[in-house]
Amino acid sequence: MSSSLYRLGRAMARARWKVVGAWGLLLVVLGLLAVGLGGQLSAQFEIPGTQAQEGLDELATRFPQLSGTSGQIVFTTDDGSSVDDHAAAIQEAMGKASEVPGVEAAPDPFAEVSPGTRSADDTAIIGSVQMTGQPGTFPDGSLEELDAIVSGVDDGGLEAHLGGQILQETGMPVGISEVIGVIAALVVLAVTFRAILPAVIPITTAIVGIAISMAALLALAAGVDIPSVTPTLAIMLGLAVGIDYALFIVSRHRNQLARGMDVTESIGESIATAGSAVIFAGMTVIIALVGLFITRIPFLTLMGLASAATVAIAVVLALTLLPAILALLGERLRPRAARRAMADNGGRLPDAPAEEVVRPTAATRWVRLVTRVPLLTIVVVVLGIGALALPARDMRLGLPDLGTERPDTKARQTYDLVSERFGPGYNGPLLVTADIINTTDPLGVMDALKSRISDLPGVAAIQLATPNEGADMGVVVVIPEGGQTDESTADLVRTLRADAPGWEKDLGISDMKVTGQTAVAIDITDRLSSALLPFGVFVVGLSLLLLAIVFRSIWVPIKASLGYLLSLGAAFGAVAMVFEYGWGNAALNVHVIGPVISFMPIMVMGILFGLAMDYEVFLVSRMREEYVHTGDPRGAIERGFTASAPVVVAAALIMISVFASFVPEGTFMIQPIAVALAVGIFVDAFVVRMTLVPAVLALLGHHAWTLPGWLDRRLPHMDVEGEGLVRVLEHQRWTEENDPASVRLEAMTAPLVGTAGHLAPLSATARPGSLVLVTGDQGAVDSVLGVLAGRLHPDDGIVAVHDRLVPDEAGALQARTHLVAAGSDVAARLGAIGEGSVADRTLVIERAEDLADAGQGAISRLETLLRHGATAVVGDPGIGGETFAGALRDALEVPDRLVRIDVHADAASDGAPENSHGADGAVPTREGDAS
């Protein structure tokens, strides 16, 4: 992977203006789509397959007067008079409200058919307003008209207040939080780089990524219901990872420039090394977010997908737009001291004095401290985080209602007024629906059902009990004693559902359902709570697998996963302290004490997992690299930590700053997530990864880096440490010292095809435009052809075909190879290949007899393609290699194009043919030019 990224980085640097223009064009197009389509976000949380949602769907078709979105106009007197004294003014206001576009019904609260709810002292009455559709879909200006009607009520001592779900916000929630997060990140970056210009780059790419994500999200919202909290979550996450991913690459680039490396070469190597880790880090976050499908809740799955897409865009920008920007800025990003030294030394950086003594850095001193007595460090960390996590057991979950809005909003003020004058249950009524088509006395049945429900504990009042116009469905509006998030309300819902089967039998009704937005919120909370364990198993299991692949170790993944669980516990404990205990509420600008948003735990689990693995990879991969080179476990920990700690500290501070900035000005849905992530990142980066991890690795010693052989063979290899880049750079040096080669084999061995054994070590080269004839045993010939086509991985040695290294770039080689299978019409296949697109391509013809049967025309066509830069590889298994090689050489207009490679199986291989050559391999012979 690192070799492909190296080429990608260099390519983006060379095409810098085109890359910047392409991203700019994409942003403009998506912005126009977002504006033109006019997408709106949804304030509703739906959960198909639950009783509450099925009840709402039935109401929409059978009792439309109770579907849609409900609102309230609360009339109160401030002089102690009765609302009856102001009946005319109240009726006039409700009459005007009923004529507003989008209002389905606004009944007279004094009518006998559907009377409004009165307070106990008759100084307040609630008039209901039912609007068609969901918030964000109302006719333009309808809410403004209602607000004007309410504000215009003036009847000497009478006040009116507009409230209810119709006031829920659906716009893009962008405000001061994002600005604060960006400024904080800029300060951290400026301190890290000790310069403003490189500090601005990560901010720029992150903002571009967010702009693209939000434009795409709003365009998509025109056809898909996207929850209103989704953009805030995506912005928060996009800012954090977008800045961090760019930081890792820019930091590597600046360090390499400080050592005197060429700008374009440094960009390629930065993308190959830090870019590999960015891909892995981004992949872990994306997989965790996409894994939210486990909850089986569509809106949560959508939130996960939108956030995952934002992270994916951040990764792609870091690998494409960022190298283009680095190339545009060029030498201006080189540290000033290095620039001066190079200017004074003829453009090269002078060698550092050999006697210079390197003083221990703060990172070095810290890692030495925590690994001095590793067991003590482990005990202190585990006990400390455990104490912080204890309050998590008191954390309660629920969906927010209008009572979680800010105190200065009309929605919250009306909510508080209703709770004070009528009771909290009036802000979250329950709807009990029943199919009454089989009864002959609909009104009597509804009265009986009303009586039974009113006798249940937790019921404050029955607001309405009536059949619909067709008398086939009845609805009872139940006012619970507690609010939407109270446990007593959830208990009432469970009691109603448990008693429903008996009532259906006694009253001759059927299909009873408990629904309404309060019941929906309870169902969502219950389903999310049941999904936490399987999602946790998914996330932890994924971390074990991915880290085992990356670090080729058993203990590193186990340690990383346990550390993640510690960080998660600390994050949940902090949330409970703030939102359940109320500690620090005033300082954090949190206005509600009570249950947190029900999807907070599962969102934090997914996001924190990905970010925790970021720090694990960036820290431990450098330690593993040092261990592989030196075999010294303690020294590897110190050197790896010292090299990677500064950038991890900067990245963590940026993450914490961005997440924390969303707490004071965020909505109640976002605030718990922001608190959890800010605390979780702090604990994970500074306590778990930079304290606990070095101590555990020091305690394990050599055992930390071992992987059983059977498992090592079965796990795929993921190059996040730039090992493939070493081979690319070696091949570049070889090419500079020798003539360019389209095929380079050096001590290459590979498994035989179709039989047991291995190919004998093989070395050979061919120039571009050559026709390589591979002769020998069939299994050996097929093995070489498979390797040169990128379809078989070599066991050892160097394989480069048109500068594509196998196996690192096997996929790219396959895409640039034309394979003519045995028995194919060679003439037709060669004729279909365009001459203009064949440069640096490989033509693999599996059987020489197919080429011979095609005649001189096919050979002439093949030679034409070779003149345009292609390289052909022809397999000739059997014993006729000399004869065909001579005939082929005679048929070519330029005989020097022919290169013959004689291959055989290794005699030491099990199952090798009897006529195999020795283990030292055959010296390749070349007809024409010697190689």
Side-chain angles (χ1 to χ4, degrees), residues 13-359:
R14 289 193 296 268
R16 46 192 174 271
W17 284 115
K18 292 180 181 178
V19 174
V20 172
W23 279 108
L25 179 61
L26 177 62
L27 180 57
V28 170
V29 170
L30 289 174
L32 292 175
L33 281 175
V35 173
L37 295 176
Q40 290 285 342
L41 304 174
S42 171
Q44 299 299 308
F45 295 99
E46 297 184 355
I47 180 167
T50 62
Q51 185 182 124
Q53 190 61 50
E54 290 172 355
L56 288 179
D57 295 340
E58 286 188 12
L59 281 173
T61 57
R62 302 175 66 183
F63 212 142
Q65 295 88 346
L66 292 178
S67 65
T69 306
S70 62
Q72 300 166 324
I73 300 180
V74 183
F75 299 93
T76 63
T77 63
D78 57 8
D79 57 2
S81 60
S82 170
V83 290
D84 292 320
D85 299 336
H86 306 273
I90 294 173
Q91 289 170 330
E92 180 184 1
M94 295 303 294
K96 291 179 180 178
S98 65
E99 297 173 359
V100 173
V103 174
E104 176 74 22
D108 177 4
F110 295 99
E112 293 184 4
V113 178
S114 55
T117 301
R118 291 170 174 258
S119 63
D121 58 2
D122 276 345
T123 60
I125 191 170
I126 299 175
S128 62
V129 177
Q130 201 72 20
M131 298 196 72
T132 304
Q134 304 298 333
T137 65
F138 306 146
D140 291 339
S142 58
L143 291 180
E144 288 76 6
E145 286 189 46
L146 285 173
D147 189 51
I149 292 169
V150 171
S151 300
V153 172
D154 184 12
D155 192 44
L158 180 67
E159 294 180 353
H161 307 268
L162 182 65
Q165 296 174 354
I166 60 175
L167 296 184
Q168 286 183 322
E169 294 288 339
T170 60
M172 182 71 76
V174 177
I176 193 64
S177 298
E178 292 79 357
V179 177
I180 296 173
V182 168
I183 293 174
L186 183 60
V187 171
V188 174
L189 289 168
V191 172
T192 300
F193 291 127
R194 299 180 183 178
I196 293 296
L197 184 59
V200 173
I201 298 173
I203 302 289
T204 302
T205 55
I207 291 175
V208 170
I210 289 171
I212 290 173
S213 302
M214 293 305 102
L217 196 65
L218 283 179
L220 188 63
V224 179
D225 287 336
I226 296 178
S228 57
V229 70
T230 302
T232 304
L233 187 64
I235 290 172
M236 182 171 64
L237 192 55
L239 262 180
V241 302
I243 294 173
D244 267 14
Y245 293 166
L247 164 65
F248 291 127
I249 294 173
V250 174
S251 177
R252 180 66 68 99
H253 178 58
R254 287 258 298 174
N255 289 340
Q256 291 169 170
L257 291 180
R259 298 198 302 268
M261 188 178 291
D262 172 72
V263 170
T264 303
E265 180 65 20
S266 176
I267 292 172
E269 293 196 21
S270 298
I271 297 297
T273 50
S276 297
V278 163
I279 288 178
F280 173 79
M283 185 172 65
T284 58
V285 181
I286 291 169
I287 292 175
L289 289 170
V290 172
L292 290 172
F293 75 90
I294 290 175
T295 63
R296 298 179 294 116
I297 299 177
F299 81 82
L300 196 57
T301 301
L302 260 178
M303 290 171 61
L305 289 175
S307 299
T310 303
V311 174
I313 290 171
V315 172
V316 175
L317 281 167
L319 301 179
T320 56
L321 180 61
L322 180 58
I325 293 175
L326 296 179
L328 286 173
L329 296 175
E331 289 290 336
R332 280 176 288 179
L333 291 177
R334 194 182 300 274
R336 194 169 300 170
R339 263 186 286 169
R340 290 201 196 100
M342 292 176 69
D344 296 339
N345 197 48
R348 294 184 60 187
L349 196 67
D351 296 333
E355 65 276 5
E356 184 177 356
V357 177
V358 180
R359 292 177 128 190

